[in-house]
Amino acid sequence: MKILNVEQMTEVDRLSTEKCGIPSLLLMENAGMNLFRALRHTFREHLSAQRILILCGKGNNGGDGLVLARQLVQRGMEPRVVLLGRRQEVKGDAAANLNIFLESGQPVQEVDSLEAWRGIQPEMARADVIVDALLGTGLGKPLRDLYAEAVRSINQNRAFVLAVDIPTGMFSDSLEPSPLSVQADLTVTFTAPKIAHVFNPDQAAMGRVIVAPIGSPEWLMDRPEYYLQLLEPEELSELLTDRPLDTHKGALGKVAVIGGSRGKAGAAALAASAALHAGSGLVTALVPRGAQGLVASFLPDIMTEGLPETDSGGFNREAASPVLEILAHMNAAALGPGLGTHPESFDFVRELVTHSPVPLVLDADALNALAQDPSKIRNDKGQPLVLTPHPGEFGRLIGRRTSELLPDRIRLSRNFARQHGVWLVLKGFRSLIAEPGGQVYVCDRGNPGMATGGMGDVLSGVLLRHLGELDARGWNLPEEVTWPVALGVYLHSAAGDLAEEDLGPESLTASALIEYLGEAARQLRESSS
Protein backbone atom coordinates (compact mmCIF):
# COMPACT_ATOMS: atom_id res chain seq x y z
CA MET A 1 0.00 0.00 0.00
CA LYS A 2 1.44 3.36 -1.02
CA ILE A 3 2.02 6.06 1.59
CA LEU A 4 1.51 9.50 0.05
CA ASN A 5 2.55 12.99 1.00
CA VAL A 6 0.23 15.98 0.61
CA GLU A 7 1.51 16.92 -2.85
CA GLN A 8 1.11 13.36 -4.14
CA MET A 9 -2.38 13.01 -2.69
CA THR A 10 -3.44 16.28 -4.30
CA GLU A 11 -2.09 15.03 -7.61
CA VAL A 12 -4.00 11.74 -7.34
CA ASP A 13 -7.23 13.63 -6.65
CA ARG A 14 -6.59 15.95 -9.61
CA LEU A 15 -5.79 13.11 -12.00
CA SER A 16 -8.86 11.19 -10.83
CA THR A 17 -10.93 14.06 -12.19
CA GLU A 18 -8.85 15.18 -15.17
CA LYS A 19 -7.74 11.79 -16.55
CA CYS A 20 -10.46 9.48 -15.27
CA GLY A 21 -13.47 11.78 -15.46
CA ILE A 22 -14.47 11.30 -11.81
CA PRO A 23 -16.05 14.56 -10.60
CA SER A 24 -14.40 15.99 -7.51
CA LEU A 25 -17.86 16.36 -5.97
CA LEU A 26 -18.28 12.60 -6.29
CA LEU A 27 -14.95 12.01 -4.54
CA MET A 28 -16.18 14.21 -1.66
CA GLU A 29 -19.52 12.42 -1.60
CA ASN A 30 -17.74 9.07 -1.35
CA ALA A 31 -15.56 10.42 1.45
CA GLY A 32 -18.61 11.48 3.43
CA MET A 33 -20.29 8.13 2.83
CA ASN A 34 -17.24 6.36 4.22
CA LEU A 35 -17.40 8.52 7.32
CA PHE A 36 -21.00 7.47 7.79
CA ARG A 37 -20.12 3.80 7.31
CA ALA A 38 -17.37 4.12 9.91
CA LEU A 39 -19.78 5.57 12.47
CA ARG A 40 -22.41 2.96 11.65
CA HIS A 41 -19.88 0.17 12.06
CA THR A 42 -18.67 1.66 15.36
CA PHE A 43 -22.06 2.21 17.00
CA ARG A 44 -24.18 -0.26 14.99
CA GLU A 45 -27.83 -0.14 16.10
CA HIS A 46 -27.05 2.53 18.69
CA LEU A 47 -25.94 5.19 16.19
CA SER A 48 -29.34 6.86 16.06
CA ALA A 49 -29.22 7.40 19.82
CA GLN A 50 -25.94 9.34 19.69
CA ARG A 51 -25.82 13.11 20.00
CA ILE A 52 -23.45 14.02 17.17
CA LEU A 53 -21.61 17.34 16.83
CA ILE A 54 -19.84 17.92 13.50
CA LEU A 55 -17.18 20.65 13.52
CA CYS A 56 -16.44 21.83 9.98
CA GLY A 57 -13.64 23.95 8.62
CA LYS A 58 -13.83 26.09 5.49
CA GLY A 59 -11.99 23.66 3.18
CA ASN A 60 -12.55 20.23 1.73
CA ASN A 61 -12.23 18.62 5.15
CA GLY A 62 -15.29 20.58 6.21
CA GLY A 63 -16.99 19.56 2.97
CA ASP A 64 -16.52 15.89 3.90
CA GLY A 65 -18.11 16.64 7.26
CA LEU A 66 -21.09 18.32 5.57
CA VAL A 67 -21.67 15.26 3.40
CA LEU A 68 -21.65 13.15 6.56
CA ALA A 69 -24.15 15.51 8.16
CA ARG A 70 -26.48 15.17 5.19
CA GLN A 71 -26.22 11.37 5.24
CA LEU A 72 -27.15 11.34 8.92
CA VAL A 73 -30.11 13.66 8.38
CA GLN A 74 -31.38 11.49 5.53
CA ARG A 75 -31.48 8.58 7.99
CA GLY A 76 -33.56 10.45 10.53
CA MET A 77 -30.81 11.74 12.80
CA GLU A 78 -30.25 15.34 13.90
CA PRO A 79 -26.52 16.14 13.97
CA ARG A 80 -25.45 19.58 15.15
CA VAL A 81 -23.20 21.28 12.56
CA VAL A 82 -20.79 24.07 13.50
CA LEU A 83 -18.75 25.97 10.89
CA LEU A 84 -15.54 27.63 12.07
CA GLY A 85 -15.78 30.68 9.85
CA ARG A 86 -18.33 32.48 7.72
CA ARG A 87 -20.42 30.84 5.02
CA GLN A 88 -19.09 33.17 2.35
CA GLU A 89 -15.53 32.02 3.15
CA VAL A 90 -16.28 28.44 2.11
CA LYS A 91 -15.26 27.72 -1.50
CA GLY A 92 -15.34 24.99 -4.15
CA ASP A 93 -16.87 21.59 -3.48
CA ALA A 94 -17.19 22.36 0.23
CA ALA A 95 -19.34 25.39 -0.63
CA ALA A 96 -21.53 23.25 -2.89
CA ASN A 97 -22.17 20.78 -0.08
CA LEU A 98 -22.78 23.60 2.38
CA ASN A 99 -25.44 25.04 0.08
CA ILE A 100 -27.08 21.63 -0.39
CA PHE A 101 -27.25 21.18 3.38
CA LEU A 102 -28.65 24.66 3.99
CA GLU A 103 -31.22 24.42 1.19
CA SER A 104 -32.58 21.26 2.77
CA GLY A 105 -33.54 23.39 5.74
CA GLN A 106 -30.80 22.24 8.09
CA PRO A 107 -29.07 24.80 10.36
CA VAL A 108 -25.35 25.50 10.43
CA GLN A 109 -23.95 27.57 13.29
CA GLU A 110 -21.17 29.95 12.31
CA VAL A 111 -18.34 30.52 14.77
CA ASP A 112 -15.65 33.03 13.87
CA SER A 113 -14.38 34.25 17.25
CA LEU A 114 -13.25 32.88 20.59
CA GLU A 115 -16.27 34.42 22.22
CA ALA A 116 -18.62 32.68 19.80
CA TRP A 117 -16.74 29.42 20.34
CA ARG A 118 -17.28 29.59 24.08
CA GLY A 119 -20.99 29.81 23.35
CA ILE A 120 -21.09 26.26 22.02
CA GLN A 121 -19.29 24.72 25.01
CA PRO A 122 -22.55 23.50 26.57
CA GLU A 123 -23.43 21.80 23.28
CA MET A 124 -20.02 20.10 23.21
CA ALA A 125 -20.45 18.90 26.77
CA ARG A 126 -23.69 17.14 25.78
CA ALA A 127 -22.24 15.48 22.66
CA ASP A 128 -21.67 11.74 22.54
CA VAL A 129 -19.75 11.97 19.26
CA ILE A 130 -17.62 14.83 17.96
CA VAL A 131 -16.58 14.77 14.31
CA ASP A 132 -13.34 16.68 13.67
CA ALA A 133 -13.72 17.97 10.10
CA LEU A 134 -11.82 21.18 10.77
CA LEU A 135 -8.48 20.98 8.95
CA GLY A 136 -7.15 18.31 6.62
CA THR A 137 -3.71 17.27 5.50
CA GLY A 138 -2.44 20.65 4.33
CA LEU A 139 -1.51 22.08 7.73
CA GLY A 140 2.15 23.07 7.98
CA LYS A 141 2.36 25.24 11.09
CA PRO A 142 1.12 25.06 14.68
CA LEU A 143 -2.47 25.95 15.43
CA ARG A 144 -3.32 29.38 16.79
CA ASP A 145 -6.26 31.33 18.20
CA LEU A 146 -9.71 29.92 17.36
CA TYR A 147 -8.53 26.58 15.94
CA ALA A 148 -6.14 26.00 18.83
CA GLU A 149 -8.93 26.70 21.31
CA ALA A 150 -11.28 24.39 19.40
CA VAL A 151 -8.77 21.54 19.54
CA ARG A 152 -8.18 22.04 23.26
CA SER A 153 -11.93 21.96 23.85
CA ILE A 154 -12.30 18.72 21.86
CA ASN A 155 -9.52 17.08 23.86
CA GLN A 156 -11.09 18.11 27.16
CA ASN A 157 -14.38 16.50 26.17
CA ARG A 158 -15.27 12.90 26.93
CA ALA A 159 -17.10 12.28 23.66
CA PHE A 160 -16.03 9.74 21.05
CA VAL A 161 -13.95 11.64 18.46
CA LEU A 162 -13.90 10.82 14.76
CA ALA A 163 -11.16 12.63 12.82
CA VAL A 164 -11.69 13.24 9.11
CA ASP A 165 -8.57 12.37 7.09
CA ILE A 166 -6.16 13.40 9.87
CA PRO A 167 -6.61 14.84 13.37
CA THR A 168 -6.65 18.63 13.20
CA GLY A 169 -3.29 20.06 14.18
CA MET A 170 -1.23 17.08 13.01
CA PHE A 171 1.35 17.77 10.29
CA SER A 172 0.64 15.32 7.50
CA ASP A 173 4.13 15.20 5.98
CA SER A 174 6.10 15.22 9.22
CA LEU A 175 7.74 12.34 11.05
CA GLU A 176 7.57 14.34 14.27
CA PRO A 177 4.59 15.13 16.53
CA SER A 178 2.97 18.56 16.37
CA PRO A 179 2.62 20.78 19.46
CA LEU A 180 -1.17 20.44 19.59
CA SER A 181 -3.58 18.15 17.77
CA VAL A 182 -6.95 16.49 18.24
CA GLN A 183 -6.81 13.24 20.18
CA ALA A 184 -9.12 11.02 18.15
CA ASP A 185 -10.62 7.61 18.82
CA LEU A 186 -11.00 6.86 15.11
CA THR A 187 -9.46 8.41 12.01
CA VAL A 188 -10.84 7.80 8.53
CA THR A 189 -8.44 8.78 5.79
CA PHE A 190 -9.00 8.43 2.07
CA THR A 191 -7.31 6.58 -0.81
CA ALA A 192 -3.96 6.03 0.93
CA PRO A 193 -2.34 6.57 4.32
CA LYS A 194 -0.37 9.77 4.69
CA ILE A 195 3.10 10.02 6.23
CA ALA A 196 1.86 11.10 9.66
CA HIS A 197 -0.59 8.19 9.83
CA VAL A 198 2.34 5.79 9.77
CA PHE A 199 5.26 7.69 11.30
CA ASN A 200 3.85 10.08 13.88
CA PRO A 201 5.11 8.79 17.27
CA ASP A 202 1.80 9.83 18.83
CA GLN A 203 -0.18 7.00 17.26
CA ALA A 204 -2.72 7.19 20.07
CA ALA A 205 -3.78 10.63 18.75
CA MET A 206 -5.33 8.93 15.71
CA GLY A 207 -6.96 5.99 17.45
CA ARG A 208 -7.85 3.30 14.96
CA VAL A 209 -7.03 4.33 11.39
CA ILE A 210 -9.22 3.28 8.46
CA VAL A 211 -8.04 3.82 4.89
CA ALA A 212 -11.18 4.19 2.78
CA PRO A 213 -11.33 4.16 -1.05
CA ILE A 214 -13.30 7.03 -2.57
CA GLY A 215 -13.06 6.16 -6.27
CA SER A 216 -9.53 7.07 -7.37
CA PRO A 217 -8.19 4.19 -9.52
CA GLU A 218 -5.34 2.28 -7.88
CA TRP A 219 -3.22 2.50 -11.02
CA LEU A 220 -2.86 6.25 -10.45
CA MET A 221 -0.68 5.42 -7.45
CA ASP A 222 1.36 2.79 -9.26
CA ARG A 223 4.09 5.25 -10.14
CA PRO A 224 7.78 4.89 -9.21
CA GLU A 225 7.97 8.46 -7.90
CA TYR A 226 5.47 7.43 -5.23
CA TYR A 227 8.22 5.38 -3.66
CA LEU A 228 7.05 4.97 -0.04
CA GLN A 229 5.08 1.79 0.63
CA LEU A 230 3.58 0.08 3.67
CA LEU A 231 4.28 -3.64 3.99
CA GLU A 232 1.06 -5.64 3.91
CA PRO A 233 0.68 -9.19 5.24
CA GLU A 234 -1.26 -10.29 2.17
CA GLU A 235 1.70 -9.59 -0.10
CA LEU A 236 4.30 -11.11 2.19
CA SER A 237 2.33 -14.28 2.91
CA GLU A 238 2.75 -15.33 -0.72
CA LEU A 239 6.48 -15.76 -0.05
CA LEU A 240 5.89 -18.35 2.68
CA THR A 241 5.31 -21.38 0.52
CA ASP A 242 4.68 -24.79 2.03
CA ARG A 243 7.63 -27.14 2.07
CA PRO A 244 7.35 -30.06 -0.41
CA LEU A 245 7.36 -33.52 1.12
CA ASP A 246 10.78 -34.24 -0.36
CA THR A 247 12.41 -31.10 1.03
CA HIS A 248 15.95 -31.53 2.31
CA LYS A 249 18.06 -29.21 4.46
CA GLY A 250 20.17 -28.05 1.53
CA ALA A 251 17.08 -26.65 -0.20
CA LEU A 252 16.38 -24.40 2.80
CA GLY A 253 19.73 -22.67 2.69
CA LYS A 254 23.19 -23.25 4.11
CA VAL A 255 24.09 -20.08 5.98
CA ALA A 256 26.90 -18.74 8.12
CA VAL A 257 27.03 -16.26 10.98
CA ILE A 258 30.42 -14.53 11.14
CA GLY A 259 30.97 -12.76 14.43
CA GLY A 260 31.69 -13.08 18.09
CA SER A 261 34.69 -12.01 20.11
CA ARG A 262 35.83 -12.16 23.71
CA GLY A 263 32.87 -11.08 25.84
CA LYS A 264 30.51 -10.87 22.86
CA ALA A 265 30.06 -14.49 21.85
CA GLY A 266 26.36 -14.33 22.71
CA ALA A 267 25.64 -11.99 19.79
CA ALA A 268 26.82 -14.55 17.25
CA ALA A 269 24.91 -17.29 19.06
CA LEU A 270 21.70 -15.24 18.99
CA ALA A 271 22.00 -14.62 15.26
CA ALA A 272 22.70 -18.28 14.55
CA SER A 273 19.82 -19.42 16.76
CA ALA A 274 17.45 -16.97 15.03
CA ALA A 275 18.46 -18.25 11.59
CA LEU A 276 17.81 -21.81 12.69
CA HIS A 277 14.44 -21.08 14.34
CA ALA A 278 13.36 -19.01 11.34
CA GLY A 279 13.82 -22.05 9.12
CA SER A 280 17.37 -22.31 7.76
CA GLY A 281 18.46 -25.81 6.80
CA LEU A 282 22.07 -25.63 8.01
CA VAL A 283 23.63 -22.93 10.19
CA THR A 284 27.34 -22.57 10.89
CA ALA A 285 28.81 -20.03 13.29
CA LEU A 286 32.25 -18.83 12.17
CA VAL A 287 33.86 -17.39 15.29
CA PRO A 288 37.31 -16.68 16.75
CA ARG A 289 38.83 -19.83 18.23
CA GLY A 290 38.53 -18.58 21.79
CA ALA A 291 34.76 -18.15 21.43
CA GLN A 292 34.05 -21.45 19.67
CA GLY A 293 33.32 -23.56 22.73
CA LEU A 294 31.06 -20.93 24.25
CA VAL A 295 29.02 -20.47 21.08
CA ALA A 296 28.73 -24.24 20.57
CA SER A 297 27.40 -24.60 24.11
CA PHE A 298 24.52 -22.23 23.43
CA LEU A 299 22.87 -24.39 20.81
CA PRO A 300 23.86 -27.94 19.81
CA ASP A 301 21.92 -27.64 16.56
CA ILE A 302 24.43 -25.28 14.96
CA MET A 303 27.89 -26.09 13.64
CA THR A 304 30.88 -23.98 14.61
CA GLU A 305 34.23 -23.22 13.09
CA GLY A 306 37.08 -21.62 15.06
CA LEU A 307 39.25 -19.13 13.20
CA PRO A 308 42.46 -17.15 13.75
CA GLU A 309 42.10 -14.42 16.36
CA THR A 310 43.83 -11.35 17.75
CA ASP A 311 45.25 -11.09 21.26
CA SER A 312 41.99 -9.37 22.28
CA GLY A 313 39.87 -12.29 21.08
CA GLY A 314 38.53 -10.98 17.76
CA PHE A 315 39.15 -12.04 14.16
CA ASN A 316 42.56 -11.18 12.75
CA ARG A 317 43.39 -10.42 9.13
CA GLU A 318 44.41 -14.01 8.40
CA ALA A 319 40.90 -15.22 9.16
CA ALA A 320 39.53 -13.71 5.94
CA SER A 321 41.02 -16.32 3.61
CA PRO A 322 39.60 -19.45 5.32
CA VAL A 323 36.23 -17.72 5.81
CA LEU A 324 36.01 -16.94 2.09
CA GLU A 325 36.77 -20.60 1.33
CA ILE A 326 33.95 -21.70 3.64
CA LEU A 327 31.52 -19.16 2.14
CA ALA A 328 32.07 -20.67 -1.29
CA HIS A 329 29.93 -23.57 -0.08
CA MET A 330 27.25 -21.41 1.58
CA ASN A 331 24.16 -19.59 0.32
CA ALA A 332 24.36 -16.45 2.48
CA ALA A 333 26.15 -15.04 5.51
CA ALA A 334 25.64 -12.50 8.29
CA LEU A 335 28.69 -10.50 9.31
CA GLY A 336 29.09 -8.37 12.41
CA PRO A 337 27.25 -9.63 15.54
CA GLY A 338 29.66 -9.35 18.46
CA LEU A 339 32.61 -8.82 16.12
CA GLY A 340 34.49 -6.24 18.18
CA THR A 341 36.37 -3.14 17.06
CA HIS A 342 39.99 -4.29 16.78
CA PRO A 343 41.68 -2.74 13.71
CA GLU A 344 42.52 -6.20 12.35
CA SER A 345 38.88 -7.22 12.72
CA PHE A 346 37.90 -4.15 10.69
CA ASP A 347 40.39 -5.17 7.97
CA PHE A 348 38.81 -8.63 8.06
CA VAL A 349 35.37 -7.09 7.52
CA ARG A 350 36.41 -5.00 4.54
CA GLU A 351 38.05 -8.02 2.89
CA LEU A 352 34.89 -10.11 3.26
CA VAL A 353 32.56 -7.38 2.06
CA THR A 354 34.60 -6.89 -1.08
CA HIS A 355 35.16 -10.53 -1.97
CA SER A 356 32.24 -12.50 -0.49
CA PRO A 357 30.84 -15.02 -2.99
CA VAL A 358 27.41 -14.97 -1.30
CA PRO A 359 24.88 -12.34 -0.17
CA LEU A 360 25.85 -10.64 3.09
CA VAL A 361 23.79 -9.21 5.95
CA LEU A 362 25.91 -6.56 7.68
CA ASP A 363 25.25 -5.39 11.23
CA ALA A 364 26.86 -3.98 14.35
CA ASP A 365 30.64 -3.73 14.19
CA ALA A 366 30.70 -4.66 10.51
CA LEU A 367 28.88 -1.37 9.92
CA ASN A 368 31.31 0.48 12.15
CA ALA A 369 34.17 -0.92 10.08
CA LEU A 370 32.51 0.30 6.86
CA ALA A 371 31.82 3.72 8.37
CA GLN A 372 35.55 4.46 8.23
CA ASP A 373 35.27 4.65 4.43
CA PRO A 374 31.71 4.27 3.12
CA SER A 375 32.92 4.66 -0.48
CA LYS A 376 34.24 1.09 -0.24
CA ILE A 377 30.84 -0.45 0.44
CA ARG A 378 30.75 -2.71 -2.59
CA ASN A 379 31.11 -6.35 -3.55
CA ASP A 380 33.26 -7.13 -6.58
CA LYS A 381 31.29 -10.31 -7.33
CA GLY A 382 27.95 -8.53 -7.62
CA GLN A 383 26.51 -10.12 -4.49
CA PRO A 384 23.78 -8.25 -2.58
CA LEU A 385 24.75 -6.36 0.56
CA VAL A 386 22.03 -5.84 3.19
CA LEU A 387 22.96 -3.24 5.80
CA THR A 388 20.93 -3.21 9.03
CA PRO A 389 21.94 -0.13 11.07
CA HIS A 390 20.14 1.42 13.97
CA PRO A 391 20.04 5.25 13.77
CA GLY A 392 23.35 5.67 15.58
CA GLU A 393 25.15 3.31 13.20
CA PHE A 394 23.49 4.92 10.20
CA GLY A 395 24.59 8.31 11.47
CA ARG A 396 28.19 7.11 11.49
CA LEU A 397 27.83 5.80 7.94
CA ILE A 398 26.61 9.15 6.60
CA GLY A 399 28.41 11.50 8.99
CA ARG A 400 25.25 12.82 10.70
CA ARG A 401 24.14 13.04 14.28
CA THR A 402 21.18 10.86 15.16
CA SER A 403 19.09 13.90 16.10
CA GLU A 404 19.76 15.37 12.64
CA LEU A 405 18.93 12.28 10.59
CA LEU A 406 15.77 11.06 12.32
CA PRO A 407 13.42 13.79 11.00
CA ASP A 408 14.76 13.16 7.49
CA ARG A 409 15.42 9.44 7.68
CA ILE A 410 13.21 8.42 4.77
CA ARG A 411 15.05 10.57 2.25
CA LEU A 412 18.49 9.82 3.71
CA SER A 413 17.89 6.05 3.71
CA ARG A 414 16.66 6.13 0.13
CA ASN A 415 19.60 8.21 -1.06
CA PHE A 416 22.12 5.94 0.67
CA ALA A 417 20.67 2.75 -0.80
CA ARG A 418 20.61 4.22 -4.31
CA GLN A 419 24.10 5.69 -4.07
CA HIS A 420 25.78 2.51 -2.80
CA GLY A 421 23.59 -0.08 -4.54
CA VAL A 422 22.66 -1.77 -1.25
CA TRP A 423 19.57 -2.76 0.67
CA LEU A 424 19.39 -0.62 3.79
CA VAL A 425 17.25 -1.70 6.75
CA LEU A 426 17.07 1.27 9.13
CA LYS A 427 15.88 -0.23 12.40
CA GLY A 428 13.67 1.54 14.92
CA PHE A 429 10.13 2.84 15.17
CA ARG A 430 8.65 2.05 11.74
CA SER A 431 11.71 0.28 10.35
CA LEU A 432 12.56 1.21 6.76
CA ILE A 433 13.75 -1.02 3.92
CA ALA A 434 15.35 1.07 1.19
CA GLU A 435 16.37 -0.76 -1.98
CA PRO A 436 18.80 0.26 -4.74
CA GLY A 437 16.03 1.06 -7.23
CA GLY A 438 14.66 3.84 -5.03
CA GLN A 439 11.61 2.20 -3.43
CA VAL A 440 11.26 2.41 0.35
CA TYR A 441 9.13 -0.04 2.34
CA VAL A 442 7.84 0.55 5.87
CA CYS A 443 7.16 -2.05 8.54
CA ASP A 444 4.47 -0.89 10.95
CA ARG A 445 4.90 -3.83 13.34
CA GLY A 446 7.09 -3.88 16.45
CA ASN A 447 6.86 -2.38 19.93
CA PRO A 448 8.91 -0.56 22.59
CA GLY A 449 9.66 -3.84 24.36
CA MET A 450 12.04 -4.64 21.50
CA ALA A 451 14.35 -1.83 22.61
CA THR A 452 16.84 -4.17 24.21
CA GLY A 453 20.23 -5.66 23.45
CA GLY A 454 20.47 -8.49 20.95
CA MET A 455 17.38 -7.62 18.89
CA GLY A 456 19.54 -6.58 15.95
CA ASP A 457 21.45 -9.88 16.13
CA VAL A 458 18.17 -11.78 15.93
CA LEU A 459 17.07 -9.69 12.95
CA SER A 460 20.35 -10.52 11.18
CA GLY A 461 19.64 -14.21 11.67
CA VAL A 462 16.08 -13.94 10.36
CA LEU A 463 17.21 -12.02 7.28
CA LEU A 464 19.99 -14.54 6.77
CA ARG A 465 17.49 -17.39 6.70
CA HIS A 466 15.40 -15.83 3.92
CA LEU A 467 18.36 -14.74 1.81
CA GLY A 468 19.85 -18.21 2.16
CA GLU A 469 16.74 -19.95 0.92
CA LEU A 470 16.45 -17.43 -1.91
CA ASP A 471 19.94 -18.31 -3.10
CA ALA A 472 19.47 -22.05 -2.54
CA ARG A 473 16.43 -22.04 -4.82
CA GLY A 474 18.38 -20.34 -7.55
CA TRP A 475 16.18 -17.27 -7.74
CA ASN A 476 17.38 -14.25 -9.63
CA LEU A 477 19.91 -12.43 -7.46
CA PRO A 478 20.15 -9.57 -6.78
CA GLU A 479 16.93 -8.38 -8.45
CA GLU A 480 14.65 -10.40 -6.16
CA VAL A 481 16.31 -9.55 -2.85
CA THR A 482 13.84 -6.88 -1.73
CA TRP A 483 10.93 -9.12 -0.80
CA PRO A 484 12.86 -11.70 1.25
CA VAL A 485 14.45 -8.79 3.15
CA ALA A 486 11.02 -7.23 3.70
CA LEU A 487 9.65 -10.61 4.81
CA GLY A 488 12.46 -11.02 7.35
CA VAL A 489 11.93 -7.54 8.80
CA TYR A 490 8.19 -8.12 9.07
CA LEU A 491 8.46 -11.55 10.73
CA HIS A 492 11.01 -10.25 13.23
CA SER A 493 8.69 -7.40 14.23
CA ALA A 494 5.59 -9.61 14.25
CA ALA A 495 7.35 -12.09 16.52
CA GLY A 496 8.23 -9.19 18.79
CA ASP A 497 4.57 -8.22 19.01
CA LEU A 498 3.56 -11.78 19.88
CA ALA A 499 6.26 -11.96 22.55
CA GLU A 500 5.25 -8.61 24.02
CA GLU A 501 1.64 -9.71 24.21
CA ASP A 502 2.60 -12.78 26.26
CA LEU A 503 5.52 -11.46 28.31
CA GLY A 504 4.99 -7.71 28.55
CA PRO A 505 7.54 -5.12 27.40
CA GLU A 506 9.76 -5.41 30.47
CA SER A 507 10.45 -9.13 30.04
CA LEU A 508 10.83 -9.16 26.28
CA THR A 509 14.38 -10.27 25.48
CA ALA A 510 16.02 -11.10 22.18
CA SER A 511 16.30 -14.78 23.06
CA ALA A 512 12.63 -14.85 24.06
CA LEU A 513 11.61 -13.34 20.72
CA ILE A 514 13.29 -16.20 18.86
CA GLU A 515 10.74 -18.61 20.31
CA TYR A 516 7.93 -16.70 18.59
CA LEU A 517 9.36 -16.71 15.06
CA GLY A 518 7.54 -19.90 14.10
CA GLU A 519 4.18 -18.61 15.34
CA ALA A 520 4.70 -15.32 13.49
CA ALA A 521 5.30 -17.24 10.26
CA ARG A 522 2.28 -19.46 10.87
CA GLN A 523 -0.03 -16.50 11.43
CA LEU A 524 1.31 -14.72 8.37
CA ARG A 525 0.81 -17.81 6.22
CA GLU A 526 -2.77 -18.15 7.46
CA SER A 527 -3.55 -14.47 6.78
CA SER A 528 -3.87 -15.27 3.08
CA SER A 529 -6.22 -18.21 3.53
Side-chain angles (χ1 to χ4, degrees), residues 38-334:
L39 282 179
R40 184 177 60 189
H41 178 78
T42 300
F43 292 97
R44 301 187 185 279
E45 66 271 15
H46 302 295
L47 179 59
S48 60
Q50 307 304 310
R51 290 167 294 194
I52 301 175
L53 175 64
I54 303 177
L55 303 175
C56 296
K58 296 175 286 188
N60 285 343
N61 202 249
D64 298 337
L66 287 161
V67 174
L68 169 63
R70 173 162 43 82
Q71 295 295 333
L72 292 169
V73 168
Q74 289 173 354
R75 289 161 176 82
M77 288 169 269
E78 298 180 354
R80 180 74 180 276
V81 178
V82 174
L83 172 66
L84 260 66
R86 292 292 182 182
R87 297 177 190 178
Q88 58 269 27
E89 297 173 322
V90 182
K91 307 296 181 184
D93 294 338
N97 275 295
L98 175 60
N99 291 334
I100 293 171
F101 192 73
L102 291 171
E103 289 172 6
S104 68
Q106 300 300 318
V108 172
Q109 183 174 350
E110 299 172 74
V111 173
D112 63 352
S113 68
L114 289 171
E115 183 179 358
W117 174 258
R118 296 185 187 102
I120 70 163
Q121 297 304 303
E123 186 75 22
M124 289 192 69
R126 290 191 294 268
D128 301 307
V129 177
I130 295 176
V131 178
D132 165 26
L134 293 173
L135 296 175
T137 57
L139 185 68
K141 58 184 179 181
L143 297 171
R144 297 176 53 197
D145 304 328
L146 178 57
Y147 277 86
E149 183 63 24
V151 169
R152 282 190 284 265
S153 298
I154 294 170
N155 292 342
Q156 291 167 3
N157 201 284
R158 294 184 178 182
F160 180 92
V161 178
L162 165 62
V164 178
D165 212 1
I166 193 168
T168 292
M170 193 171 287
F171 304 148
S172 182
D173 285 353
S174 177
L175 279 64
E176 301 297 314
S178 56
L180 174 67
S181 69
V182 164
Q183 302 292 297
D185 298 287
L186 173 64
T187 298
V188 179
T189 192
F190 310 115
T191 306
K194 316 310 182 293
I195 288 174
H197 291 135
V198 179
F199 290 98
N200 193 307
D202 188 10
Q203 291 288 297
M206 289 171 282
R208 187 165 66 96
V209 177
I210 295 174
V211 181
I214 59 173
S216 296
E218 289 191 14
W219 60 264
L220 285 178
M221 289 171 282
D222 190 21
R223 307 169 68 178
E225 59 265 38
Y226 299 170
Y227 60 81
L228 195 58
Q229 303 185 54
L230 186 66
L231 293 179
E232 296 185 276
E234 295 76 17
E235 290 181 298
L236 295 172
S237 63
E238 297 175 1
L239 303 173
L240 285 173
T241 56
D242 293 330
R243 296 184 179 184
L245 292 177
D246 61 350
T247 296
H248 57 88
K249 56 191 175 185
L252 300 174
K254 295 179 289 184
V255 301
V257 173
I258 309 165
S261 59
R262 189 175 302 157
K264 297 181 180 180
L270 279 172
S273 178
L276 193 66
H277 281 79
S280 290
L282 288 167
V283 183
T284 302
L286 308 181
V287 297
R289 288 194 183 104
Q292 185 177 5
L294 187 58
V295 172
S297 69
F298 276 114
L299 196 68
D301 311 69
I302 63 173
M303 296 174 285
T304 60
E305 186 79 29
L307 295 152
E309 61 184 2
T310 64
D311 292 341
S312 60
F315 289 103
N316 67 19
R317 295 184 185 92
E318 285 68 35
S321 181
V323 167
L324 287 172
E325 291 180 11
I326 294 170
L327 292 186
H329 305 284
M330 296 286 175
N331 296 114

Side-chain angles (χ1 to χ4, degrees), residues 13 16-27 30 214-217:
D13 286 342
S16 296
T17 298
E18 294 180 2
K19 290 190 68 173
C20 305
I22 304 171
S24 56
L25 265 174
L26 180 57
L27 296 175
N30 291 340
I214 59 173
S216 296

